[in-house]
Amino acid sequence: MDKLELLAPAGDLEKLKTAVDYGADAVYFGGELFSLRAGAGNLSIEQMKEAVQYAHAHHVKCYLALNIFAHNEDVLPLEDYLLKIKALEIDAFIVSDPGIMLMIRAVMPDAEIHLSTQANMTNYKTAQFWKNQGVKRIVLARELTFDEIRHLRAQQPDLELEAFVQGAMCISYSGRCLLSNFMIERDANRGQCAHPCRWKYALVEEQRPGEYYPIEEDERGTYILNSRDLCMIDHIPDLVEAGIASAKIEGRMKSSFYVATVVGAYRKAIDAYYQDPAGYEFRKEWMDELKKVSHREFTTGFYYNQPTNQDQNYQTSAYTRNYSFIGVVKDYDPQTGMAIVEQRNKMTVGEEIEVFGPHTDFFKQTLEVLLDEEGNAIESAPHPQQILQIKMEHPVSANFMLRKRKE
């Protein structure tokens, strides 16, 4: 059987390389213009060239998001941009605007087009329309159930289906939100969403200006638009059976630590399934890994049923952060067991830390030997991106990461 593709977000070059190292089959990223994550680091044209070379050297595909809804003022700059990136060996372009598809076809007639979830594709007739326009893959709207996906798959067996499996859910229809634009003139459909759905709201009666009443549902609070995060790691067989070709992780704004942890967990779950589909059993430790990065409570979204109040968090829009990302390994000497580590958060001698890397299980150890860059013993490392030397109890390599549980 064709294996389910694991598609990872790459907000910048470092995150792209992390996703590749930790087991992604494909990565998606934006350039400095024309993608829907203006706040992500994104990649310059030179960085895209390096990114594509790095990914392809590891047999990983690269998809470029050009999924804004273009205004007239965007057309000429986008045409110029396409000419500049024409020579890059990008595997596919993620697009929602038909005009942008026309521009890509004019510059790169053989380019592979993936329809962005922003296009709200929810039925097999619309899928047929986009197939007739030369689209190879549909990124499904988040509002589809498994039953609908199976029906669509049966009607359009030649189209690839991509679906989100992990990350933030938008309260608006497939991300087509005007709230940010209306409230603070930041257009969500041009990459500038301020996430007003996570804000706290109150009710004001027309004849009583200045009197604010909290919006509540019993004792649950005021966050009426605040969805839980999507998580489908414990439903891999259902994703495969429904005919989904690519499992997409949301999060181009997330950290390298997030990308490494989530990609690593899904890599293990997907590989375990294909090793023995009939005898596959989900392992709780994969879910435990996902809970070690910043997250909201989890939901399965629309896959099994219409979301209910159980899929919202009415108490807070804050993330759960039980672990701190404290360092990344830059080099390792197997003779001495010493690792060169770039600090990301404070660590102190005597603390218990966890160390994890690509395609491995994590291990715990007490931080006993901590040296600065010159080899002097220190008690703590409070300075951002400080270079350290740390004695490791087990072998590691570059791009392993260190974390610790918060008190």
Side-chain angles (χ1 to χ4, degrees):
M1 66 180 77
D2 292 333
K3 194 171 184 179
L4 179 67
E5 176 186 82
L6 178 57
L7 176 55
D12 58 29
L13 186 57
E14 178 190 51
K15 296 170 190 176
L16 183 144
K17 291 182 177 180
T18 298
V20 171
D21 292 345
Y22 277 77
D25 298 308
V27 292
Y28 66 100
F29 52 87
E32 293 174 306
L33 303 168
F34 312 118
S35 83
L36 282 180
R37 288 295 181 270
N42 296 319
L43 280 72
S44 66
I45 294 175
E46 280 302 309
Q47 287 174 325
M48 275 196 276
K49 182 177 180 181
E50 181 180 347
V52 171
Q53 290 175 343
Y54 187 85
H56 286 178
H58 292 81
H59 310 290
V60 171
K61 291 184 177 181
C62 293
Y63 307 147
L64 176 62
L66 292 174
N67 54 343
I68 66 164
F69 288 97
H71 289 232
N72 290 333
E73 67 209 50
D74 298 316
V75 172
L76 293 180
L78 178 53
E79 289 177 340
D80 181 60
Y81 185 73
L82 290 171
L83 290 170
K84 291 178 180 177
I85 65 173
K86 179 180 178 181
L88 301 179
E89 296 180 359
I90 294 168
D91 295 286
F93 296 87
I94 305 170
V95 183
S96 54
D97 188 320
I100 293 178
M101 291 185 190
L102 289 176
M103 286 187 274
I104 293 172
R105 290 283 186 228
V107 176
M108 293 169 274
D110 297 326
E112 183 172 313
I113 303 294
H114 295 177
L115 185 73
S116 171
T117 191
Q118 291 294 112
N120 313 135
M121 213 301 303
T122 56
N123 67 80
Y124 64 86
K125 282 294 186 181
T126 305
Q128 178 68 55
F129 169 83
W130 288 115
K131 179 183 174 183
N132 293 345
Q133 311 312 308
V135 170
K136 181 178 180 181
R137 177 184 291 187
I138 300 289
V139 186
L140 297 170
R142 289 174 172 90
E143 292 78 18
L144 292 179
T145 66
F146 272 131
D147 285 342
E148 291 176 298
I149 294 169
R150 283 188 285 265
H151 190 193
L152 194 157
R153 167 83 281 152
Q155 295 292 326
Q156 301 294 339
D158 298 329
L159 265 176
E160 293 181 4
L161 303 182
E162 178 179 308
F164 283 94
V165 298
Q166 184 75 29
M169 292 285 282
C170 181
I171 196 66
S172 216
Y173 197 83
S174 285
R176 296 285 285 271
C177 183
L178 300 177
L179 193 58
S180 179
N181 201 356
F182 176 78
M183 296 180 77
I184 57 171
E185 298 183 355
R186 285 177 52 177
D187 191 343
N189 298 309
R190 302 180 82 187
Q192 299 173 333
C193 185
H195 305 287
C197 55
R198 308 294 180 187
W199 299 353
K200 203 171 192 176
Y201 290 90
L203 177 69
V204 179
E205 199 275 322
E206 183 179 9
Q207 300 301 318
R208 294 172 175 79
E211 295 185 30
Y212 299 96
Y213 303 92
I215 299 173
E216 296 181 346
E217 280 208 12
D218 299 328
E219 71 282 358
R220 288 191 290 269
T222 59
Y223 296 91
I224 61 171
L225 305 177
N226 186 48
S227 174
R228 297 186 181 197
D229 283 353
L230 179 66
C231 179
M232 294 294 290
I233 195 170
D234 48 344
H235 301 282
I236 299 299
D238 288 347
L239 294 166
V240 174
E241 184 271 333
I244 291 169
S246 181
K248 187 172 192 174
I249 298 167
E250 183 271 342
R252 278 192 282 152
M253 302 284 286
K254 302 289 190 181
S255 67
S256 294
F257 173 54
Y258 179 94
V259 171
T261 304
V262 175
V263 170
Y266 271 88
R267 179 76 279 152
K268 291 173 184 176
I270 292 171
D271 287 350
Y273 171 78
Y274 282 97
Q275 286 171 6
D276 183 13
Y280 173 78
E281 292 184 4
F282 178 73
R283 293 166 60 178
K284 178 178 175 294
E285 63 201 56
W286 301 329
M287 181 68 78
D288 291 341
E289 279 293 291
L290 296 185
K291 292 179 179 179
K292 291 179 180 179
V293 294
S294 177
H295 68 280
R296 300 180 182 93
E297 294 180 63
F298 292 137
T299 173
T300 56
F302 289 79
Y303 279 110
Y304 294 100
N305 50 259
Q306 277 299 107
T308 69
N309 59 357
Q310 298 303 310
D311 298 285
Q312 300 289 106
N313 187 338
Y314 295 108
Q315 297 175 341
T316 177
S317 63
Y319 287 95
T320 299
R321 294 183 174 94
N322 294 325
Y323 280 76
S324 293
F325 172 35
I326 58 173
V328 58
V329 174
K330 294 299 184 180
D331 200 2
Y332 175 70
D333 185 347
Q335 301 298 319
T336 64
M338 297 296 291
I340 304 299
V341 175
E342 183 180 274
Q343 185 260 32
R344 294 299 174 89
N345 275 293
K346 183 179 179 180
M347 63 185 89
T348 303
V349 170
E351 290 181 320
E352 182 179 75
I353 64 172
E354 294 182 3
V355 183
F356 70 100
H359 310 287
T360 66
D361 294 326
F362 73 89
F363 64 88
K364 296 180 180 181
Q365 72 170 62
T366 300
L367 189 56
E368 294 181 343
V369 178
L370 183 61
L371 310 178
D372 64 16
E373 191 170 6
E374 287 74 37
N376 302 308
I378 55 177
E379 286 299 312
S380 67
H383 306 300
Q385 295 186 297
Q386 185 176 358
I387 300 301
L388 307 167
Q389 300 180 54
I390 297 176
K391 178 75 171 180
M392 292 291 173
E393 294 183 3
H394 300 283
V396 297
S397 59
N399 297 327
F400 270 56
M401 294 190 181
L402 284 63
R403 65 194 176 204
K404 67 177 183 179
R405 179 183 286 276
K406 291 185 176 181
E407 295 180 0

